[in-house]
Amino acid sequence: MRDIFLGIDTSCDDTSIALYFSGSGKFIEERKTQDVHEKFKGVVPELASRDHLETLPVLLDSLLEKAQIEPFELAGIGVTYKPGLIGSILVGLSFAKAYAYSLSKPFIGIDHIEGHLFSAFLNNTKPEYPFLGVVLSGGHSEIFLVKNFGDYELISTTVDDAAGEVLDKMARYMDIGFPGGPAIEKIAINGDRKRFSFPLPIVKQNDNYFSFSGIKTAALAYFQKEDNPDDKFKSDLAASFQDAVIRQVIDRLKKALNLTKCHRIVMGGGVTANTKLRNSIIEELGDNAVILIPDIEYCTDNASMIAQLSAWKIISGNTDELSIEAHSISDLGNYYIKKNKIGF
Ligand code: KG4
Ligand code: ZN
């Protein structure tokens, strides 16, 4: 049996399928970002599921062709089974289950957030524990103390919106494109980040938790008050807003470093593709911590991270029954138990 693991991710609007060769550390991936959502300026769940269904078999064929392998050579199959859009996840999960069943291969379900936590290690480096695992994406803003593989303590989460979510919403208000993070980053390059001021939000119950909805409301108010929101205005607002998101991330990271005394930070998730955020974190925290951020192509959703985690788990003897179910939420690090404890 060759050491080849298949990973599938259909958690949102990217259809992705990858092979991980655990012996050589090599990846081969096929990914398609759905463009059906652009005209709606946001992901339409029903369209996303249908698109995954049409795309997955095509990507699988092309992946096997590219890698020049036969399905029977696979050592195991892993798939995202939480969190995300439930219809989208169901498509990938059902596809992976059927494939594993028909080939009699070991099967495992992967938490997509755990995938992002380890995507900085897709370059063949081995994790050193403990580390502060930071996931900033369209649906999540979390910091975990990763004590070991599979042992995660939630240090921080958001009490309202996620970082990527407010970037997407702000881009929609300004009508500058979708997804919002890259659209804001693009026009922010020429903007004045000092033109609009945003406070650093304080979460009374737990000052290292994130809160992004207040700055989103403030940015919207700036936008609505302007009679002529021309390109210069939008660039300045984008730069100021992006800066407010970055400042908050750095503030919460400083607090997490103090709290845990853990000086290794490993980032992941779509928002960490932001060059300004990457540079600012290294500039501000680089003297105080070792910082790992995935290559830009592996910040956003990808199946390589799922293939790698599937390999690690299956090789160490973990598999799932084909009866596992899809979930729209993650429970990594007892996410909800912690949330309830502080009364949200
Ligand atoms: O991890 P991801 O691909 O999907 C989720 O799991 O949510 O993250 C998507 C999010 C979106 O909100 C998108 O606007 C944001 O990541 N994003 C960015 C950048 N590229 C993607 N945000 C800021 N700057 C970017 N360059
Ligand atoms: Zn993601």
Side-chain angles (χ1 to χ4, degrees), residues 112 116 137-139 164-165 167-168 179-182 185 269-271 273-274 299-301:
H112 178 87
H116 280 308
S137 69
E165 186 179 357
L167 291 166
D168 291 339
E185 176 170 36
V271 179
N274 186 284
C299 289
T300 47
D301 290 349

Side-chain angles (χ1 to χ4, degrees), residues 70-85:
E70 296 293 331
F72 71 84
E73 293 181 88
L74 294 172
I77 295 168
V79 60
T80 296
Y81 77 114
K82 64 182 165 82
L85 298 173

